[in-house]
Amino acid sequence: FDPAVTGAAIASVQLPNGAIPHHPDGVIDPWNHVEAAMGLDVAGRHDDAARAYDWLVRNQRGDGSWYAGYRNDEVIERTLDANFVAYVAAGLWHHYVATGDIETLERTWASVDRAMTFLLQLQEASGAFLWARDEFYRPWPRPLLTSTSCIYLSLRCAVAIAETLGDERPDWELAAQSAFDSVNHRSERFEAKDRFAMDWYYPVLAGIVTGHAAKDRLAERWDEFVVEPWGVRCVSDRPWITTGETSEFLLALDVVGMKEEANAVFEWLHHLRGDDGGYWMGANFPTIDVWPKQKPTWASGSVLLAWDALERSSATSGFFRGETFPDPLEEVVDPL
C-alpha cells in the first residue's frame, strides 16, 4: 500500500476552489469532503487539505451550517445535516495534529464556533442529536445513533481546538457527555436503523461505547455484517460490501485493541483498489463484481485513515483511539 498514490487519486478530483467531490463531476457534501481531506493529510498533502477547509469556511451559512449537497457552486440538497456540520471540527483537529498548523486553526476557529452553535440547537433533552433541519428549517423528529455517535467525536475535537487556542467551551463538554449518556443509557430514543452496519460499529469507532461493552457489541453482529475475506456489508440484508464500511469497521476494531483482526481486514481491502490508487465504492458478492463503477474520494480517504491507524507511526495514528485529545473527558470514558 502506497499512501502517496492514494492521496494523489483524491487530489486529482479536488477542484481548484478546494472542494472535493465524491468523484469527477460528482456531489460535494461536507462530511465526505472532510473525510477526503483527512485522507489528504495522511498522505502528506497538507496544502491540499488546508484548501479543502478554506472551501468550507467560504461556503458556511450564516447560521453556522452547510447544505448537504453541492455541485460546483450550486446547492443541490438543502437539508442541513447535523453530523455533516459537526465533522468540520474533527477534520480541523486532525489537520492540526498532522501539521501543527496553528494559523489554519486560528483562521478557521470562528467557523468551528458557528458550527457548534448550530449543532447544539439540535440536541434534545435526552442528549441525542436530531438528525437535521429540512429545507424549511424544520428539525427532524428523531435522532440517529450513527449521527449522534460521530457528533460526540466531533465535539471532543471541537473542545480540543478550543483548549489549544486558549478558549473554554464547557457547554460543548457537557453536550458531549450528554451524547455519551444518550447512546449508553437512552438508546430507545434513536430511530431504528439497525440493518445498517454503521449503527453497529460507529458507537465503538467514535469512542462512545467502550471497554468490554464495545468488544461485545462488535462480536454480537459480526456474522451478520462481516463477509470474510472480502469486507463488510453496508446493510445486513443486501449482498454488497463497501470500502467505507470495511475501513471504518477496521478502525472500530483498532479502537478496542483488536489490532490483529484489524490488520486482517485491511488485507481484504486490496481487491477494491483501482489502478490509480483510488478505491472502488464496493462490490457485490459472492461474485465480487465491482459496483457501482465509482471510486469515491471519501472511500479512499477512509482507507488512508485505516492504514494510518494501523501503522502507529504518525502524529495522527491515534486519532480515533482518542490519543490526540489534550484533556480527555475522563468522566465519560470507560478505559479498556
Side-chain angles (χ1 to χ4, degrees), residues 83 144-151 190 196-200 202-203:
N83 186 25
L144 302 181
L145 179 59
T146 296
S147 178
T148 292
S149 298
C150 191
I151 286 170
F190 295 101
F196 290 87
M198 288 190 295
D199 261 28
W200 165 52
Y202 231 103

Side-chain angles (χ1 to χ4, degrees), residues 93 156 159-160 163-164 173 322 324-331:
W93 179 243
R156 294 196 68 192
V159 169
E163 290 183 2
T164 300
E173 296 186 50
T324 69
F325 298 130
D327 290 309
L329 302 179
E330 304 254 347
E331 71 275 17

Side-chain angles (χ1 to χ4, degrees), residues 95-144:
H95 179 70
Y96 173 73
V97 171
T99 64
D101 180 5
I102 193 70
E103 291 182 3
T104 294
L105 210 59
E106 291 171 340
R107 187 173 69 250
T108 57
W109 166 240
S111 183
V112 172
D113 196 5
R114 288 194 298 270
M116 296 303 108
T117 298
F118 172 86
L119 176 70
L120 265 58
Q121 293 171 355
L122 287 172
Q123 189 171 31
E124 60 174 23
S126 72
F129 286 87
L130 300 179
W131 170 59
R133 291 188 182 275
D134 67 15
E135 61 182 313
F136 302 107
Y137 218 69
R138 297 173 302 198
W140 194 258
R142 295 288 295 276
L144 302 181

